[in-house]
Amino acid sequence: MKGRRCDGVGKRWRARYVNAEGDERAQIFATKPQAVEWLDKVAGDIASGRYVDPQRQVITFGEVAEAWKVNPSWTATTRERNLSVLRMHVLPRWGDLRLSAVKHEDLQIWVNELVASGLSSGSVRKIVGVARGVLQMAMRNGRVSMNPADHLQLPRQKVARRRYLTVGQVDRLAQEAGSHEVIVLVLAYCGLRIGELSALRVGNVDRLRRRFMVEASVTEVNGELVWSDPKDHQRRSVPWPRFLDDEIDALIVGRDAADLLFSSPRGDVLRVRNMRRSWFDRAARDAGVPGLTPHELRHTAASIAVSAGASVLAVQRMLGHDKPSTTLNVYSDLFDHDLDDLADQLARARDRHREESSPIVSPIELLSARVHLA
């Protein structure tokens, strides 16, 4: 790294250095102190690992986003959601800017504008999450030294209270569902995702063990059916309660292993939008739980299982969460009774201690104390 004087009018000092690839980088300054300061900063960035070649920042945010969109780990629904957010909210604001022009303070102003526009806190967080993801890829690829979207002040997430149906409400819903009663009961007592239920085939039923072998999921994306592994790749065995035996038997008798276990009236894949429009929403309204979604029956299954005394591990395995901590995080409110039990146990521990430490007082001592007090 060195600086030398240039002849001519205007900026007179040229500072230059050679990067790790052997390419020379140079900049012209009006004064020698400015040139030295720039070289010192470059040297410090290289020593600390924060150095980014200026030529690698010439690329635009939108060009990085094109590479970010190719993510093989996304499910079809995640891809559709992320691409929609990118197209509608992120690229119009940042797509044409060079990475070097994307600043933390400008991102914060953008966040504030999104909030002021009336978007929900959840929507704002999703939008910012997509922008952060693109910039994170740029950082991993050595195009920026740090992610300017880190540590933004975001609106607090408003968590809606989760709705759990009682056993009685599930029974009423199943009755209102008519011929679709078994679908309601399987969702409410087995905790399957609707895409997992729709993907079940007759060959996935283990009648002797009362198990559904969940090996696939199907989702409708832009009108097309997309088949995939279950979420988090959690293929699993899910039990059903014995009161469903007759209904399951009726579904599998005389059918081929490849046949769909649950299907539309025409024998096609069960699509959640058609299902809700055809009978589910009406049944929920008539059962006194208007606005209920099929996914809320999965929450109900977790609630019923916990109320029945199921362990966290058992609930985790039924629902197909990747680990027990996920189940605890998602359904922490279902374990409030543990806090009540804990409070009772602490009270009993204190009572035992006081009983064990209290001195034994004889009747004569008590009589003596009364005389003394008199």
Side-chain angles (χ1 to χ4, degrees), residues 51-65:
Y51 171 76
V52 175
D53 190 328
Q55 295 298 319
R56 293 187 61 76
Q57 291 188 298
V58 174
I59 192 172
T60 66
F61 181 101
E63 290 173 297
V64 177

Side-chain angles (χ1 to χ4, degrees), residues 36-58:
V36 172
E37 181 182 4
W38 181 73
L39 285 175
D40 288 344
K41 182 179 184 305
V42 171
D45 288 345
I46 292 175
S48 65
R50 296 193 307 269
Y51 171 76
V52 175
D53 190 328
Q55 295 298 319
R56 293 187 61 76
Q57 291 188 298
V58 174

Side-chain angles (χ1 to χ4, degrees), residues 55-356:
Q55 295 298 319
R56 293 187 61 76
Q57 291 188 298
V58 174
I59 192 172
T60 66
F61 181 101
E63 290 173 297
V64 177
E66 284 300 311
W68 177 79
K69 291 192 298 186
V70 184
N71 190 325
S73 68
W74 288 346
T75 65
T77 51
T78 297
R79 182 178 305 281
E80 176 62 22
R81 182 183 67 244
N82 285 345
L83 296 187
S84 176
V85 169
L86 185 69
R87 181 177 62 254
M88 294 179 60
H89 298 283
V90 180
L91 289 181
R93 175 63 179 84
W94 306 103
D96 295 333
L97 289 183
R98 291 185 177 184
L99 288 177
S100 57
V102 181
K103 304 295 185 183
H104 179 86
E105 54 268 34
D106 295 329
L107 285 163
Q108 185 62 63
I109 292 173
W110 177 57
V111 171
N112 298 343
E113 291 171 349
L114 291 174
V115 174
S117 72
L119 289 172
S120 68
S121 58
S123 295
V124 172
R125 285 175 168 269
K126 286 185 177 71
I127 293 168
V128 176
V130 168
R132 182 186 292 116
V134 174
L135 292 168
Q136 191 68 22
M137 169 171 275
M139 188 177 76
R140 286 197 303 268
N141 293 341
R143 295 189 180 278
V144 292
S145 60
M146 61 184 66
N147 190 335
D150 284 343
H151 310 300
L152 291 170
Q153 298 298 313
L154 301 177
R156 181 173 297 178
Q157 181 74 58
K158 296 178 181 178
V159 181
R161 184 174 179 83
R162 191 174 285 116
R163 174 161 51 172
Y164 305 110
L165 268 59
T166 65
V167 170
Q169 288 175 315
V170 171
D171 283 346
R172 287 194 294 276
L173 179 64
Q175 291 169 7
E176 295 295 342
S179 62
H180 307 288
E181 174 184 18
V182 64
I183 293 178
V184 171
L185 295 176
V186 168
L187 291 174
Y189 283 95
C190 301
L192 300 181
R193 300 176 179 92
I194 187 64
E196 295 170 343
L197 178 133
S198 300
L200 283 177
R201 299 186 184 275
V202 172
N204 296 131
V205 177
D206 185 338
R207 180 62 184 82
L208 294 178
R209 298 175 59 230
R210 290 195 181 92
R211 295 286 192 275
F212 294 121
M213 311 308 295
V214 179
E215 299 176 346
S217 181
V218 59
T219 307
E220 183 180 5
V221 180
N222 293 329
E224 299 293 329
L225 293 175
V226 179
W227 294 80
S228 64
D229 289 338
K231 189 175 181 181
D232 299 325
H233 307 286
Q234 295 297 315
R235 291 186 171 130
R236 65 194 190 279
S237 170
V238 178
W240 73 73
R242 67 178 67 251
F243 63 77
L244 284 175
D245 284 351
D246 292 342
E247 285 81 356
I248 301 303
D249 285 344
L251 289 171
I252 64 177
V253 64
R255 303 181 66 196
D256 294 334
D259 290 344
L260 291 168
L261 188 64
F262 302 99
S263 61
S264 72
R266 296 169 51 184
D268 299 325
V269 172
L270 189 65
R271 302 187 185 220
V272 66
R273 287 194 302 174
N274 293 344
M275 167 181 145
R276 293 192 62 177
R277 183 169 56 246
S278 174
W279 60 270
F280 187 89
D281 288 353
R282 176 200 54 76
R285 183 184 65 249
D286 293 347
V289 284
L292 185 79
T293 67
H295 195 73
E296 286 181 290
L297 293 180
R298 175 172 164 84
H299 302 326
T300 294
S303 174
I304 294 174
V306 171
S307 299
S311 68
V312 174
L313 181 59
V315 176
Q316 175 230 334
R317 294 177 62 191
M318 177 182 76
L319 297 179
H321 289 155
D322 56 345
K323 49 194 174 184
S325 60
T326 302
T327 305
L328 284 171
N329 289 336
V330 174
Y331 295 111
S332 59
D333 55 325
L334 292 179
F335 295 91
D336 282 348
H337 67 276
D338 289 350
L339 297 179
D340 296 333
D341 293 343
L342 175 60
D344 292 340
Q345 291 167 6
L346 293 173
R348 286 194 293 271
R350 180 173 181 269
D351 291 341
R352 285 195 302 270
H353 170 74
R354 297 184 70 176
E355 291 172 359
E356 293 170 357

